[in-house]
Amino acid sequence: MTQEDQKAMKTVGCITNLAAAVAHIMGIAPPLQAQEPLTALEEAAPFGGHCAQRVLLYHPDAVALWLYQRYPQMLSAVSDRAKFFAPLRSVLPPVTPVCFSSMYTGAAPQVHGVTTYTKPVVQTDTLFDVLLRAGKKPAIVSTQNDSMSLLFLQRDMDYIICPTVEECNEKAQDLIRRDEHDFIAVYNGDYDAAMHRYSPEGAEALQALAANARAFAALWDTAVQVWRGRRAMVGFCTDHGCHEIDGGLGSHGLDMPQDMEIAHFYGFLPENGNSCSDTW
């Protein structure tokens, strides 16, 4: 990536635009309160009027746009596979439960009600709800007590909650190989934890970022093998960014570019098949 490319990066949408776009790509109606879709993502899906049969969204925590701009080589395993790059805006405040609530409802925090760092069960219509109404089978794979393990409970779907990030990724690999789910969400919070404890650019944090890239690459490679013959989308979808505070530690939660501008990547596995029958 050249310096000119880095300077030219502008956000193309908000994380509230993702839920409707994913729903449309899968041929189902979006969540009831979802904002307009990320049309650039819909247009990038090379399915020729057909719908995606499988979607996997990998959620590393706190991968800021500036982080990708500064260390593009650390995410090359992601960008080499998922070639559609979407610099997006987060929501205020840019903290994990607020962000994932907005990402999966498609709604602003004032609409879905998660406006602070709390983890209630989201009552607003979500992407998981519309998947279930359409007869699809979704699953969440997350570490214990993290936002993705708590916000979307009380749905008739599969929750795989693990004590470690490594076990989460092993379970996600197993779900792909079993090929029983239409939609899989995988959460890894190790970069966020490391940047809070050390610093956003500390050795420990960058090691975690590199581990996120390897985890995504491994999930992608397995999906390519198992989902051969299916139309699929695999995304690298973070929630918010981060910045350095006094003492060199990392934090987030402010209305500033470092926290609000984030890096998303999407890749597609186009195959022939039946067209979508659902409309929106």
Side-chain angles (χ1 to χ4, degrees):
M1 181 184 302
T2 67
Q3 290 183 346
E4 290 73 20
D5 290 336
Q6 293 175 3
K7 292 177 181 178
M9 286 184 187
K10 301 293 183 182
T11 57
V12 298
C14 179
I15 58 174
T16 53
N17 304 132
L18 184 60
V22 174
H24 288 177
I25 287 169
M26 296 190 75
I28 61 177
L32 296 176
Q33 284 79 37
Q35 295 183 11
E36 66 276 5
L38 185 62
T39 55
L41 179 59
E42 291 187 50
E43 292 169 356
F47 301 138
H50 301 266
C51 59
Q53 298 160 303
R54 296 288 185 269
V55 170
L56 184 147
L57 298 185
Y58 172 74
H59 297 301
D61 202 309
V63 183
L65 179 59
W66 71 260
L67 194 64
Y68 174 55
Q69 291 171 318
R70 192 166 297 176
Y71 301 101
Q73 72 284 357
M74 297 200 72
L75 293 177
S76 61
V78 178
S79 58
D80 287 349
R81 290 167 170 80
K83 298 182 182 298
F84 181 81
F85 172 57
L88 298 180
R89 298 184 306 279
S90 191
V91 292
L92 284 171
V95 294
T96 301
V98 178
C99 295
F100 280 122
S101 297
S102 284
M103 193 182 298
Y104 275 92
T105 63
Q110 294 72 22
V111 175
H112 59 65
V114 184
T115 59
T116 62
Y117 195 90
T118 56
K119 303 172 187 177
V121 175
V122 174
Q123 301 301 317
T124 305
D125 205 39
T126 70
L127 183 59
F128 300 112
D129 296 302
V130 299
L131 286 164
L132 290 167
R133 288 201 296 271
K136 307 293 185 182
K137 188 174 181 180
I140 291 175
V141 186
S142 176
T143 35
Q144 294 172 332
N145 299 318
D146 284 313
S147 294
M148 286 297 292
S149 71
L150 298 173
L151 290 168
F152 308 110
L153 293 174
Q154 300 177 12
R155 275 94 178 164
D156 185 18
M157 55 182 281
D158 290 328
Y159 303 92
I160 296 88
I161 310 303
C162 306
T164 67
V165 164
E166 292 76 17
E167 288 175 82
C168 281
N169 296 335
E170 290 175 6
K171 292 292 187 181
Q173 290 276 357
D174 185 53
L175 290 190
I176 296 171
R177 294 190 183 99
R178 292 187 181 189
D179 197 24
E180 297 173 351
H181 294 84
D182 305 286
F183 180 93
I184 303 171
V186 185
Y187 173 75
N188 282 184
D190 42 347
Y191 173 76
D192 181 79
M195 73 86 187
H196 277 296
R197 185 174 182 181
Y198 302 102
S199 74
E201 297 178 84
E204 297 86 353
L206 294 181
Q207 288 170 6
L209 181 65
N212 288 165
R214 290 193 301 272
F216 175 84
L219 292 169
W220 170 279
D221 292 348
T222 300
V224 168
Q225 294 173 8
V226 176
W227 292 343
R228 190 178 303 276
R230 297 187 184 276
R231 296 177 302 278
M233 181 174 77
V234 182
F236 180 99
C237 313
T238 193
D239 51 350
H240 56 71
C242 59
H243 66 274
E244 187 174 301
I245 60 175
D246 291 344
L249 302 181
S251 188
H252 54 87
L254 302 180
D255 187 2
M256 58 192 299
Q258 294 93 325
D259 290 4
M260 291 293 292
E261 297 178 358
I262 57 177
H264 277 215
F265 301 83
Y266 298 89
F268 307 94
L269 311 175
E271 297 290 347
N272 294 324
N274 296 324
S275 62
C276 297
S277 59
D278 296 323
T279 59
W280 49 83

